[in-house]
Amino acid sequence: MNGMEKINRMLWIVAALAFLACLIFRIAVLWYPTQDVGGVEGNIIYFIQRLLNHQTLYADPEQAPYPIAQYMPAYYLLVTGVARMAQAGPDDLTTLFTINRAVSLLCNLGMLLVVYRMARRFFSVPRQTAQLLSFTVFVSLDITSFGRPDSLYHLLFLLSLNFFMQALRNQANAVNDSRNIFAAAFFAATAIFTKQTAFVLPVSLAVWMVMNRQYRKLVFFSACYGVLLAVYLL
């Protein structure tokens, strides 16, 4: 083992230990007795309580109690669905915080796997380096990813890119892969119903397809994206 290999090995060990420590911390936080760790969860939990109480997610902010749901509905609906399966009610506050943090943690771990897969498949990164990259991404997550829609948004955003890049690779191999284009459109459309900033994803992909004269892909992607948006808006 030469000097560079030793350095890479040490970096991997440090990143793996940091990932393990962060993962243990995140699991411990699931049952942390103090609610609203970091002050970033309160407005999320309130609207999940509204849904569990059969109230609307969005209400008139000019009417008491002046609620303002600042995010799109996907994450609220996901956590509410899990809470209902766990038979948690709107008054089970500690349980709701635990479920919210658990959903975000699973989304973060899913994102880690997508990062690893993309690094290996599309950039031919060595296995150990791809693992180091995944560990670093997880450790670098901001506290807003611990229990807010950001966690789901990051996962959906990367999934859309993953399937789009897979479609490009298949095209290079003379394979017409409409399924991956549809999957890219599906995750892009779902992402925008998580956070509005996801609009940059379809715009960026469309601009890339225009610049590279991928007009057939552009038409199919746009059609799928438009239909999915219409379905979500029903």
Side-chain angles (χ1 to χ4, degrees):
M1 183 179 292
N2 59 38
M4 185 58 66
E5 289 176 339
K6 289 181 179 178
I7 292 174
N8 290 337
R9 183 64 176 172
M10 287 300 300
L11 287 174
W12 185 92
I13 292 173
V14 170
L17 290 174
F19 165 74
L20 184 61
C22 188
L23 180 60
I24 292 172
F25 170 75
R26 291 287 302 275
I27 293 173
V29 165
L30 296 180
W31 295 278
Y32 191 65
T34 300
Q35 297 159 352
D36 201 12
V37 176
V40 299
E41 298 174 273
N43 65 332
I44 303 299
I45 296 300
Y46 171 74
F47 289 99
I48 292 169
Q49 288 178 295
R50 284 180 60 90
L51 291 173
L52 290 172
N53 201 35
H54 306 290
Q55 296 176 282
T56 59
L57 177 59
Y58 302 104
D60 187 349
E62 294 184 354
Q63 301 294 324
Y66 313 108
I68 301 177
Q70 66 186 97
Y71 295 108
M72 299 293 274
Y75 184 80
Y76 298 109
L77 295 174
L78 174 61
V79 177
T80 300
V82 175
R84 283 177 174 155
M85 287 190 291
Q87 298 183 334
D91 297 325
D92 298 325
L93 199 55
T94 301
T95 302
L96 293 181
F97 273 99
T98 298
I99 292 172
N100 181 48
R101 294 166 190 166
V103 169
S104 282
L105 177 57
L106 290 175
C107 289
N108 295 155
L109 292 173
M111 181 190 66
L112 181 149
L113 294 176
V114 176
V115 169
Y116 175 81
R117 182 181 186 275
M118 293 178 69
R120 290 282 288 160
R121 175 164 293 190
F122 304 125
F123 301 99
S124 300
V125 174
R127 179 175 58 85
Q128 193 174 82
T129 305
Q131 291 172 348
L132 190 153
L133 175 63
S134 300
F135 295 155
T136 303
V137 168
F138 185 83
V139 172
S140 302
L141 287 172
D142 187 77
I143 195 170
T144 55
S145 294
F146 288 20
R148 290 171 70 89
D150 301 77
S151 57
L152 179 60
Y153 168 72
H154 295 153
L155 174 60
L156 295 172
F157 197 101
L158 286 179
L159 281 171
S160 181
L161 286 179
N162 172 75
F163 283 104
F164 186 77
M165 293 175 70
Q166 183 60 52
L168 296 182
R169 166 169 285 196
N170 289 344
Q171 180 187 23
N173 296 326
V175 176
N176 183 15
D177 194 354
S178 299
R179 291 177 298 178
N180 280 312
I181 292 292
F182 175 81
F186 170 77
F187 287 115
T190 308
I192 205 169
F193 279 89
T194 303
K195 286 190 71 174
Q196 298 94 323
T197 50
F199 81 91
V200 300
L201 183 54
V203 171
S204 300
L205 296 182
V207 168
W208 187 94
M209 286 183 275
V210 170
M211 292 178 62
N212 289 273
R213 300 181 179 181
Q214 301 286 327
Y215 300 121
R216 183 173 297 180
K217 275 188 172 60
L218 175 62
V219 171
F220 183 69
F221 176 85
S222 300
C224 292
Y225 187 81
V227 169
L228 287 164
L229 285 183
V231 170
Y232 283 145
L233 289 169
L234 290 177

